Amino acid sequence: MTNLENKRTLKALDATDKKILQCLEQDGRMSFATLGEHIGLSKTPCWNRVNELAKQGVIAGYNTRIDPTKLGLTIKALVHVVVDFSYYQAFEAAIIAHPNVRSCQAVTGEYDYVLEILATDIQAFDHLLRENLSQLPGVERFNTAISTRMVKSDGPFTLMR
């Protein structure tokens, strides 16, 4: 779906669809009966609307948020990477397969990619950088920033203007 098609889809949402999305952003496990109560629909029409939003791709899926610190992953870092362009496909394939890379975004500017990396402690993170990430295809250099705390995460889409 192109950006123009996405904009058309979002403009086609009516007030009820927007209320559904707002409720589901707050609690994605809400039952259809409870959701219907919040938005003024019975269970079946509510289910139909949610199903249609999913078919249109507005609702891209559901997931469980896990606290990484409860799994012993106490270090979160943003790693800015410069990659030799002739290796970008091999680099991206290696990043996709890498278990410690939480996310990867291709970016503009001084760096080519920004990675979100999780590790158990600073020694494990250092080892990951020196022995693993630095050896990935095409990596020329990187710069890291350790996150000290999360200020905002997963802001709601339905409140954006």
Side-chain angles (χ1 to χ4, degrees):
M1 189 177 289
T2 67
N3 284 341
L4 183 57
E5 289 170 332
N6 275 336
K7 287 180 183 176
R8 284 187 189 138
T9 299
L10 291 177
K11 287 182 182 177
L13 297 178
D14 65 15
T16 301
D17 290 334
K18 290 177 184 178
K19 286 179 190 176
I20 288 171
L21 295 174
Q22 286 173 340
C23 288
L24 290 177
E25 275 191 320
Q26 292 174 15
D27 181 3
R29 294 184 65 183
M30 186 180 296
S31 72
F32 291 115
T34 302
L35 179 59
E37 287 174 21
H38 284 293
I39 61 170
L41 288 177
S42 63
K43 182 178 172 180
T44 301
C46 182
W47 180 85
N48 288 334
R49 286 209 180 227
V50 171
N51 214 23
E52 185 59 32
L53 289 167
K55 282 181 187 175
Q56 290 177 7
V58 176
I59 296 174
Y62 299 89
N63 64 6
T64 300
R65 287 191 282 161
I66 297 170
D67 181 347
T69 63
K70 304 295 184 194
L71 301 177
L73 298 166
T74 61
I75 300 295
K76 181 187 287 187
L78 298 177
V79 180
H80 302 80
V81 185
V82 174
V83 174
D84 178 332
F85 188 72
S86 62
Y87 291 93
Y88 85 92
Q89 288 178 320
F91 173 81
E92 288 181 5
I95 287 299
I96 289 167
H98 201 292
N100 289 79
V101 177
R102 179 81 172 122
S103 67
C104 174
Q105 294 189 38
V107 296
T108 60
E110 184 178 348
Y111 298 97
D112 299 314
Y113 298 92
V114 176
L115 313 177
E116 179 185 353
I117 305 289
L118 298 175
T120 55
D121 55 38
I122 199 68
Q123 292 81 14
F125 178 68
D126 182 65
H127 178 77
L128 184 64
L129 287 179
R130 293 176 189 274
E131 304 298 326
N132 196 291
L133 294 177
S134 66
Q135 305 302 311
L136 293 179
V139 172
E140 293 181 350
R141 71 180 193 280
F142 53 83
N143 184 356
T144 64
I146 303 290
S147 174
T148 58
R149 65 188 172 93
M150 180 64 69
V151 176
K152 182 177 181 177
S153 175
D154 299 326
F157 291 106
T158 54
L159 297 179
M160 292 184 182
R161 295 183 172 108

